[in-house]
Amino acid sequence: MNAISKRSSITELSQQILDMAKSGVYRESVFEALRPTATKKQIGLAIAHAKQFGLHSVAHLRDTDLGTYYEVDLAKYQSLQHALQTAVVPSDTQDLVAKVVDATVVVRLMLATVRGLAIASLFLGLACLVSGQRQIGFGLLTSATSAGIIWVIQKMVAHRMI
């Protein structure tokens, strides 16, 4: 099965799950209904995909045998239905977690690098000013200010993610 047919398959499964959940459906019922056409992993990925379009669980209706109870937020579903065919299909939840962790590490590394460059430029600029090299000192202090501003902006943007 190539990537295009897999994406199509997950999208179709998501659509079927959303249709079932319009009136409410238990997780085990979804697996039973779709098991002839898809694997358990594909159905799990389709549920994750359908959550982007309004599928949500109702905690107080959870059943020990049937599992999670799903419903659809019809307003969200109707507003996003046109994007269902073009949405990103999750490849694997473990892979997704690893990607988020890696992205967080990279963002923190970028912040530390820019902060370090700002501090180093500041100290070098001050040292140049003290030693009488005014042009180089002012250039380094300007660089330190620029790097500091970039660091503040990156930190504000990254704060939402981290």
Side-chain angles (χ1 to χ4, degrees):
M1 180 182 293
N2 65 22
I4 294 173
S5 64
K6 181 179 178 182
R7 178 180 299 150
S8 173
S9 174
I10 298 296
T11 304
E12 290 170 5
L13 291 171
S14 296
Q15 183 64 57
Q16 290 175 352
I17 292 167
L18 288 164
D19 290 339
M20 285 189 278
K22 285 180 184 176
S23 59
V25 65
Y26 281 100
R27 184 177 179 91
E28 191 58 37
S29 299
V30 171
F31 280 110
E32 286 179 22
L34 299 177
R35 195 164 285 137
T37 60
T39 66
K40 191 170 184 174
K41 182 177 180 177
Q42 288 174 320
I43 296 168
L45 291 173
I47 289 172
H49 182 250
K51 287 182 179 181
Q52 297 176 36
F53 299 94
L55 183 72
H56 63 91
S57 60
V58 180
H60 70 277
L61 293 177
R62 181 171 174 73
D63 186 79
T64 55
D65 295 328
L66 299 175
T68 304
Y69 185 79
Y70 292 113
E71 287 183 345
V72 173
D73 177 354
L74 288 175
K76 183 176 181 180
Y77 172 68
Q78 289 171 347
S79 69
L80 296 174
Q81 187 175 14
H82 66 280
L84 183 62
Q85 297 299 321
T86 60
V88 175
V89 178
S91 58
D92 188 4
T93 55
Q94 294 299 329
D95 189 39
L96 183 62
V97 170
K99 286 179 182 178
V100 169
V101 169
D102 290 345
T104 303
V105 169
V106 168
V107 167
R108 287 187 176 156
L109 182 62
M110 285 177 16
L111 285 170
T113 302
V114 172
R115 184 183 64 212
L117 288 172
I119 292 169
S121 296
L122 175 69
F123 286 127
L124 284 172
L126 290 173
C128 287
L129 285 177
V130 169
S131 69
Q133 298 174 346
R134 297 184 76 168
Q135 288 181 334
I136 295 173
F138 284 126
L140 286 168
L141 289 177
T142 303
S143 297
T145 303
S146 298
I149 291 170
I150 291 170
W151 175 73
V152 168
I153 292 169
Q154 283 180 339
K155 189 167 182 166
M156 287 185 336
V157 171
H159 179 66
R160 294 181 185 157
M161 186 187 102
I162 298 176

